[in-house]
């Protein structure tokens, strides 16, 4: 019993960490695969008696030195980004364990009724608390509803990922998509003492679309991931999430909009930082080059190459049924505090006039323009699509 209880604690930490949880009271998620693209020039040494620095521009916009060919006349987009926080502790003995989850979802539903879509956050907490600092966006004329489903994790069984996939399929058939992994809600009664988590789903109330999901175990080799993803992509599936579970490993999950004819290609390109002489500007140049070819940035991963080395790869996804292109801008962090902050939403709102949407990485923000594009790759993605 003690051994299983210890493993249960470990499993809880592992699932929450891989699902994007563990966000503290002031921080939060919202990052992608950790692309090192801030590229800020080193500050000059201070003079013996420096003059007071002027107040920083709250929204400096893209640095022309980092973007040699910005769009001279961008078309503004209609999008409103919003930063919110939620924090609640359970009054043990008086509150039911699901109260904080119900109140959290009630907040999301109030925003969803106004057209806001959850895109990035870092839910965290434990058996007695729940908190999240998160960003939402209103960028289409629709409304959304949110709900959570429970998921019991038994570390003595090996079917957890398969059961998660089945739950996602059942929700997808109702038009709901997985949005976020929530922390532990409670423990089952003895003798099992299994942690029970929340799984957050979202439904577009203005759409009749339904969804299917698929998955395979995450491989070590880059070529295996790309070939497996592209076999599914030929049938309309695109990468969605990569959850891990103790004793079971990690899986790559995929989503398919059953109302769409889109077909997807996943592409991996070695990061310039894994090559001799590679520097941050080369990373940005690669991302821009791939965008001009119709590939939207996904994430970065260290994986085994065909020659047995393990470089960093930057992954991209493309809808093969469109002739879309993407333009990327790399801005400075508007707030020195680590993690997603209100300043990130303010910065995102300031960039809509430039036709830019928030993509990922709150500490080194990446924005993008989508040209000749329709569908899910054209709008700010959900965190699960971008995170490792």
């Amino acid at each position: 019993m003690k051994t299983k209880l210890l493993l249960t604690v470990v499993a809880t930490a592992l699932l929450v960490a891989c699902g994007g949880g563990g966000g503290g009271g002031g921080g939060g998620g919202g990052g992608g695969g950790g692309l090192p693209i801030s590229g800020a020039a080193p500050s000059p040494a201070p003079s013996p008696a420096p003059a007071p620095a002027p107040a920083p521009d709250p929204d400096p916009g893209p640095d022309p030195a980092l973007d040699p060919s910005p769009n001279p006349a961008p078309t503004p987009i209609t999008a409103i980004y919003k930063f919110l926080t939620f924090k609640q502790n359970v009054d043990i003995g008086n509150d039911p364990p699901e109260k904080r989850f119900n109140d959290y979802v009630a907040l999301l539903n109030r925003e969803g009724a106004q057209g806001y879509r959850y895109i990035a956050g870092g839910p965290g907490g434990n058996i007695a608390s729940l908190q999240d600092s998160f960003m939402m966006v209103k960028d289409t004329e629709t409304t959304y509803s949110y709900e959570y489903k429970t998921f019991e994790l038994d570390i003595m069984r090996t079917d957890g990922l398969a059961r998660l996939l089945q739950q996602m399929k059942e929700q997808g058939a109702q038009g709901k998509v997985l949005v976020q992994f929530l922390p532990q809600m409670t423990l089952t009664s003895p003798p099992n003492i299994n942690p029970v988590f929340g799984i957050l789903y979202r439904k577009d109330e203005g759409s009749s679309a339904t969804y299917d999901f698929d998955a395979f175990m995450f491989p070590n080799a880059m070529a295996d991931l790309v070939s497996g993803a592209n076999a599914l992509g030929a049938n309309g599936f695109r990468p969605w999430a990569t959850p891990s579970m103790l004793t079971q490993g990690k899986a790559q999950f995929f989503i398919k909009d059953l109302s769409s004819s889109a077909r997807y290609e996943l592409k991996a390109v070695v990061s310039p930082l894994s090559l001799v002489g590679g520097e941050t500007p080369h990373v940005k140049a690669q991302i821009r080059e791939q965008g001009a070819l119709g590939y939207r940035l996904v994430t970065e991963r260290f994986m085994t190459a065909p020659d047995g080395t393990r470089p960093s790869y930057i992954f991209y996804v493309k809808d093969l049924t469109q002739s879309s292109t993407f333009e990327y801008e790399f801005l400075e962090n508007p707030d020195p505090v680590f993690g997603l902050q209100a300043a990130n939403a303010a910065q995102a709102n300031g960039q809509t006039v430039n036709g830019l949407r928030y993509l990922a990485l709150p500490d080194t923000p990446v924005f993008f323009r989508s040209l000749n594009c329709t569908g899910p790759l054209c709008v700010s993605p959900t965190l699960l699509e971008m995170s490792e």
Side-chain angles (χ1 to χ4, degrees):
M1 176 68 73
K2 291 182 178 179
T3 300
K4 181 175 180 180
L5 184 58
L6 175 61
L7 290 174
T8 295
V9 172
V10 174
T12 298
L14 180 61
L15 182 62
V16 171
C18 293
L35 288 166
I37 55 178
S38 60
S43 301
S47 61
D57 187 340
D59 186 13
D63 184 350
L66 300 179
D67 183 3
S69 57
N71 188 339
T75 302
I77 60 169
T78 301
I80 304 173
Y81 293 84
K82 180 184 288 190
F83 177 80
L84 301 100
T85 61
F86 176 88
K87 184 174 183 180
Q88 186 178 114
N89 295 321
V90 170
D91 183 359
I92 298 176
N94 293 315
D95 293 337
E98 63 271 14
K99 180 182 184 300
R100 64 197 190 281
F101 285 74
N102 292 340
D103 291 347
Y104 171 67
V105 170
L107 170 61
L108 295 180
N109 278 323
R110 287 195 294 273
E111 298 298 330
Q114 300 177 51
Y116 282 91
R117 175 170 57 92
Y118 184 109
I119 57 172
N126 52 45
I127 201 169
S129 66
L130 174 63
Q131 63 265 351
D132 192 7
S133 299
F134 56 100
M135 187 187 292
M136 306 184 84
V137 64
K138 180 177 181 178
D139 54 6
T140 57
E141 291 299 323
T142 191
T143 60
Y144 299 95
S145 61
Y146 297 84
E147 68 175 303
Y148 71 89
K149 298 295 180 181
T150 58
F151 182 83
E152 180 180 341
L153 178 62
D154 186 343
I155 54 91
M156 305 305 290
R157 296 172 55 179
T158 59
D159 64 347
L161 290 169
R163 289 189 295 110
L164 176 60
L165 177 60
Q166 182 59 36
Q167 183 186 92
M168 292 167 64
K169 283 177 172 289
E170 292 170 356
Q171 296 304 304
Q174 302 175 46
K176 303 169 188 175
V177 299
L178 171 68
V179 174
Q180 186 62 278
F181 296 102
L182 303 178
Q184 182 180 343
M185 175 189 294
T186 187
L187 289 169
T188 59
S189 302
N192 292 327
I193 318 183
N194 292 323
V196 177
F197 296 89
I199 309 292
L200 182 65
Y201 291 89
R202 178 185 66 227
K203 178 177 173 59
D204 182 344
E205 295 294 345
S207 171
S208 60
T210 57
Y211 302 88
D212 192 14
F213 293 88
D214 208 335
F216 56 74
M217 296 307 297
F218 200 91
N220 290 321
M222 174 278 295
D224 292 339
L225 175 60
V226 170
S227 63
N230 288 336
L232 288 171
N235 291 315
F237 288 89
R238 60 189 173 92
W240 191 247
T242 53
S244 298
M245 294 186 188
L246 187 69
T247 74
Q248 299 180 49
K250 179 168 69 173
Q252 176 66 62
F253 282 62
F254 297 82
I255 184 173
K256 177 180 180 177
D257 181 342
L258 294 175
S259 68
S260 171
S261 61
R263 298 295 179 263
Y264 296 100
E265 177 191 358
L266 184 69
K267 183 178 186 179
V269 183
V270 174
S271 169
L273 298 185
S274 286
L275 304 175
V276 176
E279 297 180 351
T280 296
H282 301 140
V283 176
K284 298 179 180 182
Q286 181 197 104
I287 294 172
R288 288 194 171 107
E289 290 168 359
Q290 294 303 316
L293 297 173
Y295 292 92
R296 203 204 68 188
L297 178 64
V298 177
T299 191
E300 179 190 34
R301 296 183 175 108
F302 286 91
M303 298 194 72
T304 303
D307 63 1
T309 60
R310 197 167 176 84
S312 169
Y313 287 96
I314 301 177
F315 286 83
Y316 304 87
V317 65
K318 179 177 184 176
D319 181 349
L320 297 175
T321 65
Q322 298 190 45
S323 298
S324 309
T325 58
F326 301 94
E327 297 175 349
Y328 296 93
E329 307 286 3
F330 309 93
L331 277 61
E332 294 302 318
N333 181 13
D335 193 314
V337 178
F338 178 80
L340 196 61
Q341 300 291 324
N344 293 109
Q347 182 184 55
N349 285 324
Q351 291 305 314
T352 59
V353 69
N354 297 319
L356 293 170
R357 301 177 189 273
Y358 178 84
L359 184 67
L361 300 169
D363 301 299
T364 53
V366 183
F367 288 78
F368 75 107
R369 294 184 191 93
S370 54
L371 307 174
N372 302 315
C373 187
T374 59
L377 298 187
C378 316
V379 297
S380 293
T382 302
L383 171 64
L384 287 184
E385 302 177 60
M386 305 294 296
S387 59
E388 177 57 23

